[in-house]
Amino acid sequence: MTQILPVLPAVAEHYCDQRGYPDGVAFMDGQYLPMSEAKISVLDWGFLHSDATYDTVHVWNGRFFRLDLHLDRFFRGMERLRMKLPYDRETIESILRNCVALSGHKSSYVEMICTRGSSPTFSRDPRQAENRFIAFAVPFGSVANKEQLERGLHVAISETVRIPPKSIDPSIKNYHWLDLVKGLFDAYDMGAETALILDANGHIAEGPGFNVFVVKDGSLSTPAFGVLPGITRRTVFDLCSEIGRSATAADVSRTEIKAADEVFITSTAGGIMPVTRIDDAPIASGHVGSITRQLMDLYWQKHDDPAWSSVVDYP
């Protein structure tokens, strides 16, 4: 009896990716690459286990905004996750600046990433993984588009609970986003544009990539428990200190946020962005409030201030 051997497909010599990518420049393994060529191994723990930390900073009109604070947080995250890189802080800053300069983008979204990496033997021991650094610069993008910045966002509160801080330290910026993504789909189902989810105690926590502030009787508050202490969040505290407004971190209930005079969200991807509707009801008059507008204006003015920003040297 003749045995029929299976016909196996050929193994390609090189990977071919037909997807489209934003215009930009990435850095990986000592190389500067177009975004379409920046790939990681399927064996990288950053992909397999979300074992990574990262930070994002933006460039506006050719200037990095508060880059030092983002680098501080990135290095703290790596230390707490027991990650090490062959690059010091000065080198990483230089890599970020090179990515932006090579991209040519005057307004850019810039990300730095450290993954656990992988081991040559596919070991399950994270100590045997070679940590990997990745950076890239692409065109600036915002959580809110131009129309939403003018009229304010419609946000829905999801019943989804944020991963508790006893499980994942929220001060380490990470890719554990399944709770946030679930909240986002909940918001879409409710006809909203983005979401807020809850902390383990039932209070308001944060949204997909942003913190939230409530304004009541001229004073500001923002959730304190189980949230990432965002750099734009910190910037709001700094701006409030300059203009003499009270701003505190404390529990914010669902009732308090719906009864607010003004609400806004904060993110490196967009800055300070107004919210004028939560669930099925407007916030106060349903229009962007005066304090929110004042802070938005001050925030963007600071981008030209050398004390808050630093110039990119383009070729």
Side-chain angles (χ1 to χ4, degrees), residues 215-256:
V215 181
K216 188 68 175 180
D217 298 327
S219 296
L220 287 76
S221 60
T222 187
F225 177 74
V227 301
L228 175 75
I231 303 302
T232 314
R233 176 181 183 266
R234 171 172 171 171
T235 299
V236 170
F237 280 101
D238 293 339
L239 293 174
C240 285
S241 178
E242 281 195 6
I243 63 176
R245 286 206 176 273
S246 169
T248 58
D251 289 338
V252 175
S253 71
R254 195 181 315 217
T255 300
E256 287 172 317

Side-chain angles (χ1 to χ4, degrees), residues 157 214 253-260 263 278-284:
I157 299 173
V214 170
S253 71
R254 195 181 315 217
T255 300
E256 287 172 317
I257 198 169
K258 290 187 173 184
V263 176
I278 293 183
D279 293 341
D280 56 357
I283 298 298

Side-chain angles (χ1 to χ4, degrees), residues 122-142:
F122 196 49
S123 168
R124 296 284 180 168
D125 186 341
R127 296 170 299 180
Q128 295 181 16
E130 181 181 350
N131 302 160
R132 167 173 278 173
F133 177 71
I134 305 165
F136 63 82
V138 294
F140 180 79
S142 174

Side-chain angles (χ1 to χ4, degrees), residues 145-159:
N145 61 35
K146 185 177 180 180
E147 178 199 352
Q148 291 165 338
L149 289 171
E150 284 300 317
R151 63 164 164 82
L153 285 155
H154 177 191
V155 175
I157 299 173
S158 168
E159 297 298 325

Side-chain angles (χ1 to χ4, degrees), residues 64-81:
F64 273 104
F65 187 63
R66 312 207 84 174
L67 177 57
D68 284 345
L69 296 181
H70 289 279
L71 287 167
D72 288 345
R73 185 171 62 181
F74 182 60
F75 275 86
R76 284 197 304 270
M78 284 194 295
E79 181 180 4
R80 293 177 185 177
L81 293 178

Side-chain angles (χ1 to χ4, degrees), residues 154-162 179-180 182-188 190 192-199 203-214 222-223 227 252-254 257-258 263-266 275 277-279 283:
H154 177 191
V155 175
I157 299 173
S158 168
E159 297 298 325
T160 303
V161 175
R162 190 73 170 111
D179 49 359
L180 294 168
K182 180 180 182 300
L184 197 54
F185 276 106
D186 290 342
Y188 294 154
M190 290 185 273
E193 295 163 323
T194 191
L196 286 167
I197 66 174
L198 306 175
D199 68 22
H203 300 302
I204 301 297
E206 58 189 343
F210 58 80
N211 297 114
V212 63
F213 278 82
V214 170
T222 187
V227 301
V252 175
S253 71
R254 195 181 315 217
I257 198 169
K258 290 187 173 184
V263 176
F264 61 83
I265 62 174
T266 59
V275 174
R277 189 174 188 85
I278 293 183
D279 293 341
I283 298 298

